[in-house]
Amino acid sequence: MLSKHQVPNIEYLSMANIKSQIKRNRQNEARRVRNKSINSSLKTSVKKVEAAATAGEDTAVSKGVLHKKTAARKKSRLAKRVSAS
């Protein structure tokens, strides 16, 4: 059994006999692997941005620069903008 991180051998998985469909399966598999990598790095970037913004606002609240609810509102708006894009 393959783990979710291993790339399967497409010839083993594809049951197609038609040449064009075999090629299409190869292309789809290559795209799936590429998209998986890109999506993973995107999620990591989003988490880093959210963590950095949250940490900055939390320190501002603890130092008395921002009011607690102002920081919460800013965090919420940032999270909404990040999830929208």
Side-chain angles (χ1 to χ4, degrees), residues 18-73:
I18 300 165
K19 240 181 176 181
S20 61
Q21 189 57 46
I22 293 170
K23 179 179 177 181
R24 174 62 58 198
N25 288 343
R26 270 198 326 264
Q27 290 173 334
N28 287 340
E29 182 63 19
R31 288 183 182 125
R32 184 188 70 81
V33 171
R34 186 181 322 120
N35 289 340
K36 185 177 173 183
S37 168
I38 292 170
N39 282 334
S40 175
S41 64
L42 177 64
K43 285 180 186 179
T44 304
S45 299
V46 168
K47 284 180 187 178
K48 285 181 181 177
V49 167
E50 287 177 339
T54 303
E57 289 168 357
D58 289 343
T59 55
V61 168
S62 68
K63 301 282 185 190
V65 177
L66 285 179
H67 190 272
K68 193 162 111 176
K69 290 188 178 182
T70 304
R73 184 178 66 244

